[in-house]
Each structure stands twice: as C-alpha cells, then as structure tokens.
C-alpha cells in the first residue's frame, strides 16, 4: 500500500486506507506500507498499528522494493512497478492501472469502502494469478453505486440529511460487519436494530473487518455497537438473539426497512415471511457476491422467490457428511445429530479426524457442541482445512469467501439501505446486482428477477396480511 498526504487529509481517502489495510492484514503475512511524502508519516504509524493489532505476527515493510503489486491511494503517481490506483467520489468507485484517481472529501463512506475492496481483490488476483481462471486485473473503470453503470457519470448526490427511520440489520457475520463498518461512518440518522444471537469465535477474525483476536467471545452485536459513537447520529440497538426470538420479544411486526445478511436460504425466507415493507439482501457465494432489493407486492421477485429450491439438490445432511469425510454415515448418524441437535462426543470427533487425516486435538473444543456449530466453525471456519492432510476433492470441501468479498457485500447492503431511505435513485433498478471480484468487473451487473410460482408472495393470505399491515400508511 502506498498513499500520500492528500489521501490522509480527505475523509474518503482515510476511509479507503482504513478498510484496505484491514482487509490486507487478514490475509497476507507480509505487507509494505509506504507514505509517499513526509507529511503523511503520522498516518503511516496509525496504519501500521492497525495491521499489527489485526495480526501481531505480520511483517511490515517500509519500502516497495519487494512488492509485487502496489495499491495506491491519493494523487501521487508511481513510475515503476505494477500498480492499482483506487479512490472515490461520493457514490462512485474509481480504479485505474495507469494513473492516480484521487479521493473526494465528502462524508460518504460507500464509494470509498468499495474502492478498498476492489483494490484488495486486484492484489489477490495478482498474488494467486497462477491458480485462478481469468484472474487478470481490472481495467480502468468508474462505477456508480447508484445504478452500477460504468458508461456514464450519472447522478452523484451529496450524502446528507438521510434518516433511516427504524431499520434492521439481521445477521452480523462477515457481511454484517462490512455493513456496520460503512454505516458507522455514514452521516445518517434514525434507529438501527442489530439482530444476531452468536458470539465471535476463533474462526471469525480472518474475515470480519474491524475485528481483533481479543474480541473472541464477545457478542457480535455488542461488539459492533461500540463502533457507533457520534451524538445525534444513528442510534443503534443490539439484540443478541435470533430473528424469531426478536420478533417474539418485539410483538410489533411493523418492519419498515430490513437488511438481511444471513447464511441460509431458510433464514432468509423466514425474514421475508415476517412481511417487512422493504428488504435488501446481501450474499457471497462461489462465483459472485451481491445485493437484491425486494418489495412484497408488484411484479418483481420477493426475497423468498430467490431462495425457493429448484430441482433436486443435496440435503444439509449430505453436504455436511461429505465435508467431514463421512458420507457413509449420512443417513444413520448425521441426520440424527442434525434433527435432534445431539452433542458431538469424543469418539465421533475421532472419526472425523481420522477421515480428514488430522489430529483430533484441534477438534476437541467442539466436544459437546451440536454438529451444525461444528460444521460452521470448524469446517467453514477453516480449522479442518488448516490441519487436514487430505487434499482429494472426494473428501469434501467448504467454500469460504475472502474478507474483501464479504466486506464489499456488506458495504453494498448498507449503501442500499441509505439509498432507499433517502430516495436517492432517479430511476428504478433491477432486483439483483452481482459482482465477481475474482474476475475483471463486467459491464452488465444488474439482473432482473421475476416472481416464482408457488412463492408466499403469490399467496392470497400473505398478500392480505401485507396490505392490512401497511395499507393505512399507503393511503396517507
């Protein structure tokens, strides 16, 4: 990373630097941090301290001599080496391979945060270029987060005076942390409810922005609340519980605006079934990340439409059985553990360890824990991969997004909340926007989604309940 004093003096430049060093420090054991003029030395020390707090073992270089690729923030050009220049102007993300693009001094963190994610993605593609298909770098672009167009400048309204009203962010995992990072820096007002029952575990700091090793054991919602501190800004209320428990406690199911950053299709459908007035959903998966915007009525797909199963697919028990290397136990053992929430005992953990060619000791903290938790934290969280001696694909696998993928999905879902609350779009946009950060940015990112036959949004009882809930406000 290289930057100049101009970047440090501008809000958007500082935001890009903050998120970029956060993302890179979670993935690479060695990082070069270089200020391009003497005036930015104080900010350099702050970035070095942040990197070390994230990874105490990280090696910090102060020269670009050994750098294979450099992300440059600011207006100072580098005359040698492979560079990716990134910056932002409000809602616009700027990237160039040949010249500085600079940053603006607005109070908008969304373009700035997205710029950091694109920079981290280009660095990842460079480092792992021999292992990626079509992993070439991005070409120059300027992307608007308002319409996801690269062809025309379009509108770029100043972010001010937006009131989120009473909004919800459900799911404070890797995507939710990215959303909270952006919202905690946005000059918006209102009340934001954070809903998540889980605590931070050993596997989370590798992907959760602004999370440190010392945060393990903390409630996810309580940890994030500490990021919001400006008086008169967004009031944040933590709810360390599941969505169902929250609704039961809340009683009032009038839900004006809900952002969904959950892991499973079932959880997403459950949120849609509560009939919020408007929903935005974010996800990461093997080939892309993105956001989808939903109303319950009208011709466009509701959130449940996107997650209805199509055709035959593997069950949860089959997926987990393959991932832990014990497909032969799927019917007799795995299903029982899942459906009865049975605790894992030591003999079962020894079976898993033997199947994965690893010692049992790293798995012992999951003794007495349910199988779903083991799968989420030990398999998807990377513990099994770290210690396993099995490299054969037949032993099962679990795909885990990189931190920059989850962070961008979070920045996008947060930006959609603000755009919707402020009515900042001049024209309607397609239901879904998809971005693949492991390939150069495509030209058509928006995808229309039609309603699915058999979905709850076409059920007369659900439609009547939705109209009853919101008809008074609609008439007014």
């Amino acid at each position: 990373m290289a930057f100049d004093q101009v970047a440090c003096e501008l809000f958007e430049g500082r935001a890009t630097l903050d998120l970029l060093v956060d993302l890179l420090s979670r993935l690479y054991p060695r990082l070069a941090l270089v200020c391009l003029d003497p005036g930015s030395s104080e900010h350099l020390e702050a970035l070095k301290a942040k990197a070390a707090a994230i990874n105490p073992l990280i090696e910090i270089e102060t020269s670009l001599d050994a750098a294979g690729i450099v992300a440059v923030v600011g207006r100072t050009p580098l005359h040698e080496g492979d560079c990716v220049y990134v910056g932002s102007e409000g809602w616009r993300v700027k990237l160039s391979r040949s010249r500085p693009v600079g940053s603006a001094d607005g109070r908008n963190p969304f373009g700035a945060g997205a710029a950091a994610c694109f920079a981290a993605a280009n660095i990842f593609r460079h480092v792992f270029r021999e292992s990626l298909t079509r992993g070439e770098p991005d070409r120059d672009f300027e992307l608007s987060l308002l319409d996801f167009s690269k062809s025309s400048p379009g509108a770029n309204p100043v972010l001010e005076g937006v009131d989120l009203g009473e909004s919800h962010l459900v799911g404070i995992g890797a995507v939710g942390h990215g959303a909270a990072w952006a919202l905690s820096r946005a000059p918006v007002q209102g009340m934001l409810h954070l809903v998540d029952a889980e605590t931070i575990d050993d596997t989370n700091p590798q992907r959760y922005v602004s999370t440190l090793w010392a945060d393990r054991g903390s409630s996810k919602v309580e940890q994030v609340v500490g990021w919001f501190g400006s008086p008169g800004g967004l009031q944040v209320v933590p709810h360390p519980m599941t969505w169902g428990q929250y609704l039961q406690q809340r009683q009032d199911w009038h839900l004006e605006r809900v952002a969904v950053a959950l892991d499973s299709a079932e959880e997403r459908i459950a949120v849609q079934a509560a009939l919020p007035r408007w929903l935005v959903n974010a996800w990461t998966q093997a080939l892309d990340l993105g956001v989808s915007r939903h109303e319950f009525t009208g011709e466009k797909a509701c959130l449940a439409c996107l997650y209805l199963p199509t055709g035959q697919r593997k069950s949860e028990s089959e997926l987990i059985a393959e991932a832990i290397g014990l497909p032969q136990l799927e019917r007799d053992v795995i299903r029982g553990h899942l459906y009865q929430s049975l605790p894992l005992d030591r003999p079962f953990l020894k079976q898993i360890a033997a199947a994965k060619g690893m010692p049992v000791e790293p798995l012992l903290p999951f003794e007495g824990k349910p199988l779903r938790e083991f799968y989420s934290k030990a398999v998807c969280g990377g513990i099994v991969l770290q210690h396993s001696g099995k490299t054969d694909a037949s032993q099962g696998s679990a795909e885990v997004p990189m931190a920059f993928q989850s962070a961008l999905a979070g920045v996008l879902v947060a930006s959609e909340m603000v755009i919707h609350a402020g009515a900042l779009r001049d024209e309607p946009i397609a239901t879904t926007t998809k971005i693949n950060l492991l390939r150069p940015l495509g030209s058509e990112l928006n995808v229309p989604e039609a309603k699915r036959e058999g979905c709850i949004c076409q059920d007369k009882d659900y439609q009547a309940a939705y109209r009853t809930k919101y008809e008074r406000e609609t008439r007014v």
Side-chain angles (χ1 to χ4, degrees):
M1 283 178 56
F3 57 94
D4 58 18
Q5 179 64 18
V6 175
C8 300
E9 292 174 348
L10 303 175
F11 173 87
E12 293 184 29
R14 293 193 300 272
T16 298
L17 289 170
D18 176 81
L19 186 55
L20 183 54
V21 76
D22 189 298
L23 295 171
L24 298 180
S25 300
R26 295 180 195 281
L27 186 58
Y28 303 103
R30 188 180 180 196
L31 185 63
L33 292 174
V34 176
C35 54
L36 299 175
D37 56 61
S40 53
S41 57
E42 182 178 345
H43 204 79
L44 172 63
E45 294 305 315
L47 292 174
K48 289 166 63 176
K50 184 178 181 72
I54 292 169
N55 177 10
L57 300 179
I58 197 168
E59 297 179 26
I60 303 293
E61 301 286 339
T62 56
S63 167
L64 300 177
D65 292 344
I69 185 170
V70 183
V72 184
V73 183
R75 299 190 179 278
T76 303
L78 292 183
H79 301 292
E80 295 180 0
D82 192 355
C83 299
V84 53
Y85 297 93
V86 292
S88 62
E89 183 181 356
W91 299 101
R92 297 175 188 161
V93 183
K94 297 181 178 183
L95 181 146
S96 174
R97 302 290 299 184
S98 59
R99 57 182 178 79
V101 294
S103 300
D105 198 26
R107 302 291 297 176
N108 189 331
F110 300 112
C117 297
F118 278 103
N122 275 268
I123 291 173
F124 182 86
R125 278 182 247 156
H126 175 89
V127 173
F128 296 98
R129 58 193 179 279
E130 295 181 0
S131 303
L132 296 173
T133 302
R134 288 185 56 193
E136 59 265 22
D138 275 299
R139 299 187 182 277
D140 294 14
F141 69 76
E142 184 173 325
L143 177 70
S144 169
L145 299 188
L146 291 176
D147 60 9
F148 294 92
S149 168
K150 298 195 300 179
S151 57
S152 60
N156 193 19
V158 174
L159 178 54
E160 60 182 5
V162 174
D163 191 334
L164 290 183
E166 187 180 25
S167 296
H168 293 76
L169 175 57
V170 187
I172 314 297
V175 174
H177 271 68
W181 177 92
L183 290 172
S184 68
R185 288 160 172 77
V188 296
Q189 296 179 322
M191 177 179 290
L192 178 66
H193 296 277
L194 304 175
V195 183
D196 194 307
E198 295 184 351
T199 57
I200 295 171
D201 62 44
D202 292 357
T203 68
N204 297 150
Q206 64 176 325
R207 292 188 298 121
Y208 287 24
V209 298
S210 294
T211 299
L212 305 178
W213 189 248
D215 292 322
R216 291 171 302 144
S218 303
S219 161
K220 291 180 180 179
V221 292
E222 296 288 356
Q223 179 223 9
V224 165
V225 165
W227 304 352
F228 297 81
S230 105
L234 193 59
Q235 181 184 351
V236 182
V237 184
H239 302 279
M241 59 190 69
T242 66
W243 175 248
Q245 291 168 337
Y246 171 70
L247 290 179
Q248 184 179 24
Q249 181 187 82
R250 177 182 171 87
Q251 301 279 313
D252 177 12
W253 284 28
H254 181 118
L255 305 163
E256 190 68 20
R257 184 176 299 104
V258 178
V260 181
L262 295 166
D263 292 331
S264 71
E266 292 78 9
E267 291 175 309
R268 288 178 169 94
I269 292 173
V271 175
Q272 178 64 87
L275 300 180
R277 183 192 288 271
W278 180 85
L279 273 169
V280 60
N281 168 58
W283 75 87
T284 57
Q285 57 189 19
L287 296 180
D288 56 47
L289 61 90
V291 293
S292 56
R293 316 150 186 92
H294 305 276
E295 296 179 353
F296 195 68
T297 57
E299 298 181 357
K300 295 181 179 180
C302 78
L303 179 58
C305 287
L306 268 58
Y307 291 93
L308 291 179
T310 57
Q312 187 174 0
R313 62 178 184 175
K314 292 181 180 179
S315 67
E316 181 185 24
S317 59
E318 289 174 312
L319 291 172
I320 292 178
E322 290 180 4
I324 64 176
L326 298 171
Q328 71 276 14
L329 300 183
E330 185 265 327
R331 288 184 176 273
D332 298 333
V333 178
I334 306 298
R335 289 187 183 184
H337 273 77
L338 290 174
Y339 301 145
Q340 299 178 52
S341 296
L342 299 177
L344 292 173
D345 57 24
R346 187 163 299 196
F348 195 5
L349 291 173
K350 287 182 177 179
Q351 276 187 284
I352 296 173
K356 302 302 291 183
M358 62 178 291
V360 71
E361 284 74 17
L363 306 184
L364 293 182
F366 295 95
E367 186 174 2
K369 301 293 179 64
L371 182 57
R372 279 192 183 90
E373 182 176 343
F374 174 84
Y375 176 72
S376 173
K377 296 180 179 181
V379 179
C380 297
I383 294 175
V384 170
L385 178 63
Q386 179 183 358
H387 295 278
S388 175
K390 300 286 187 179
T391 57
D392 187 351
S394 65
Q395 294 297 322
S397 63
E399 293 170 347
V400 181
M402 297 291 100
F404 56 82
Q405 295 171 311
S406 300
L408 181 58
V411 170
L412 294 183
V413 77
S415 70
E416 291 292 333
M417 295 177 72
V418 175
I419 290 168
H420 180 262
L424 300 180
R425 280 199 174 100
D426 294 333
E427 300 290 338
I429 193 170
T431 300
T432 299
T433 299
K434 298 181 179 181
I435 297 174
N436 184 351
L437 283 180
L438 298 184
R439 293 183 177 179
L441 186 65
S443 56
E444 298 295 332
L445 305 177
N446 297 327
V447 182
E449 305 277 3
K451 286 188 177 296
R452 289 272 307 281
E453 184 178 351
C455 183
I456 60 174
C457 62
Q458 298 178 65
D459 182 276
K460 292 182 179 179
D461 292 332
Y462 272 95
Q463 292 173 349
Y466 183 88
R467 287 194 299 268
T468 299
K469 186 187 293 192
Y470 301 112
E471 63 181 0
R472 183 178 65 83
E473 292 88 344
T474 302
R475 285 200 303 268
V476 172

